[in-house]
């Protein structure tokens, strides 16, 4: 029997394990596809307080090492659901079952991909899904942002401070994101909107060199030379398998506030998988701590 079963081995989940172990609880992290979470794909993390610069993989491996040295157990398995058995929650995987007194859902999100040729091959070589993580590497260069939501708008604004030129490519004529940011972007000399256009292909041998665009209104194709492309076409949570035990919002994020409490007593949600405004490494770590301490308090009531 585990005191805290953590589903997801990203920053939130591993931080939760560190806090759980330090509080003397028996903790397990169950991860389906590789420990580290989204940050693993970031070449350089420069916005984590106290660490001037570290690669995403080194950061996450340090976190995993820290959790394991404290005694956290780990398993690589696909979680399929949670079964509620009164005070016990049973984490079900494809092969096993893990009875736990409390559960922390730290399943993160997956960036939606465009699914165009070149995207996967050039990820980390000019294709990025995180402007705040990777923007500084494109100082003085021409880049593109794809998307029309608030993330794309904010990314374009952020990148305009570093890059000589930022093309904001959106598939419609109107942005979905905040109008106030659109207005600010319109005032920026180095930002250009390319509307009613989609990316057909990302080209480059070893790094991004250009985008092939389809212009929906004219049916024409064009080549846009850029050194980087930031794809911000939404994020996909993967929480459907928990919908029978915790409430999700309309987009599939787990309904939980800053206290990380879900609709189900004893089940907590930490990091990007929950409803929240700011999805960053620091907020994922903060959630891990908050959720673990709440889980410790909850398990103490069962004894
Ligand atoms: P989002 O609001 O879902 O927007 C995704 C954008 O990508 C949309 O403009 C969509 O186009 C476009 N898109 C989707 N699939 C595409 C595809 N295959 N090809 C081209 N374009 C595609 O996602 P988000 O911007 O990441 O925001 C997610 C949530 O976080 C939203 O609720 C947002 O309000 C919130 N957010 C809030 C803040 C804040 O400061 N308050 C900041 C960032 C995000 P269409 O418009 O045509 O559908």
């Amino acid at each position: 029997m585990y005191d805290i079963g953590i589903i997801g081995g990203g920053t939130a989940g591993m931080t939760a394990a560190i806090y759980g172990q330090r509080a003397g609880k028996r903790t397990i992290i169950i991860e389906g596809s590789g420990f580290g979470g989204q940050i693993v794909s970031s070449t350089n993390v420069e916005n984590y307080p106290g660490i001037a610069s570290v690669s995403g993989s080194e950061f996450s491996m340090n976190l995993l090492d820290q959790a394991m040295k404290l005694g956290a157990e780990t398993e690589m398995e696909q979680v399929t659901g949670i079964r509620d058995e009164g005070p016990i929650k049973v984490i079900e995987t494809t092969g096993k079952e893990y009875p736990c007194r409390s559960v922390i859902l730290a399943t993160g999100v997956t960036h939606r991909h465009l699914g165009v040729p070149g995207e996967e091959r050039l990820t980390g070589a000019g294709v990025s899904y995180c402007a705040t993580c990777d923007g500084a590497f494109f100082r003085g260069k021409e880049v593109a942002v794809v998307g029309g939501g608030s993330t794309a708008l904010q990314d374009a604004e952020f990148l305009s401070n570093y890059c000589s030129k930022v093309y904001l490519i959106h598939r419609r004529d109107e942005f979905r994101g905040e109008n106030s940011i659109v207005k600010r972007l319109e005032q920026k000399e180095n930002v250009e909107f390319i509307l009613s256009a989609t990316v057909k292909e990302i080209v480059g041998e070893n790094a991004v060199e250009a985008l092939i665009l389809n212009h929906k209104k004219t049916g024409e194709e064009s080549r846009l030379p850029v050194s980087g492309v930031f794809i911000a076409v939404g994020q996909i949570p993967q929480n459907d398998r928990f919908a029978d035990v915790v409430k999700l919002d309309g987009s599939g994020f787990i309904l939980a506030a800053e206290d990380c409490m879900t609709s189900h007593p004893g089940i907590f949600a930490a990091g990007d998988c929950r409803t929240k405004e700011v999805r960053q490494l620091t907020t994922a770590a903060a959630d891990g701590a908050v959720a673990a301490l709440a889980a410790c308090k909850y398990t103490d009531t069962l004894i």
Side-chain angles (χ1 to χ4, degrees), residues 122 125-127 202-211 226-229:
L122 294 168
V127 174
I202 302 170
V203 290
E205 204 161 311
N206 299 314
V208 170
E209 291 166 17
L211 305 179
V226 284
S227 305
V229 54

Side-chain angles (χ1 to χ4, degrees), residues 174-188:
E174 283 181 3
F175 289 107
R176 176 183 294 275
E178 277 175 70
N179 196 39
S180 57
I181 315 178
V182 176
K183 293 248 173 308
R184 288 204 299 271
L185 289 173
E186 283 170 346
Q187 302 305 313
K188 295 238 175 190

